Amino acid sequence: MSALSPREQKADFLGLELSSSVPPHVREYVQNYRQILEALAEAGIHDPEAARVILQELGKDRRMREAAEGRQREDDGPATDRQRKFLERKGVVFPSNLTKLQASEIITKLTAQTSTK
């Protein structure tokens, strides 16, 4: 009985179809990894570690985009009570539909003006 080396096990894993019990997000990562390996092989690079690192970086990029989109959705929401009260104390007149982002920009300008005086 001959045991497969770790490299052979990886190659065997990459050639297999995943069972239906594997979660969709894992399937997606495996598919992406396979595509990266193929692209690297076409470029003459046969390094599974390079493919792993590229996949990690792509995952980080995706998480950063998702976080930015989440912040964008939050910024589009109405200004908080705390922001509104601060602006009222400073005598700022603002529309009733002021967003968090707009309030934040006004507050940043106000605090910058007071800190330079």
Side-chain angles (χ1 to χ4, degrees):
M1 179 168 115
S2 65
L4 295 176
S5 72
R7 175 169 261 161
E8 290 169 327
Q9 288 174 357
K10 282 183 184 177
D12 187 46
F13 160 75
L14 293 172
L16 294 175
E17 287 300 315
L18 298 175
S19 79
S20 59
S21 65
V22 175
H25 71 281
V26 174
R27 291 174 163 284
E28 182 181 343
Y29 276 110
V30 170
Q31 181 62 34
N32 289 342
Y33 182 73
R34 288 174 177 168
Q35 290 172 347
I36 293 166
L37 276 176
E38 289 171 8
L40 288 173
E42 287 175 11
I45 301 168
H46 303 284
D47 185 359
E49 182 66 13
R52 185 190 63 78
V53 169
I54 292 169
L55 183 63
Q56 276 184 317
E57 291 302 314
L58 291 172
K60 288 178 191 176
D61 291 346
R62 188 195 85 244
R63 289 187 297 278
M64 292 297 292
R65 276 192 311 275
E66 289 171 357
E69 289 168 2
R71 282 191 301 274
Q72 180 63 42
R73 284 190 299 274
E74 289 173 9
D75 289 345
D76 289 342
T80 65
D81 288 340
R82 189 172 176 184
Q83 287 174 317
R84 290 176 170 280
K85 288 175 184 172
F86 179 84
L87 294 173
E88 287 168 357
R89 280 195 311 271
K90 295 294 183 180
V92 176
V93 178
F94 53 87
S96 61
N97 62 348
L98 185 72
T99 66
K100 287 182 186 177
L101 179 61
Q102 293 167 328
S104 178
E105 290 170 350
I106 295 168
I107 291 168
T108 298
K109 288 177 185 173
L110 287 171
T111 54
Q113 288 172 357
T114 33
S115 65
T116 59
K117 289 183 180 180

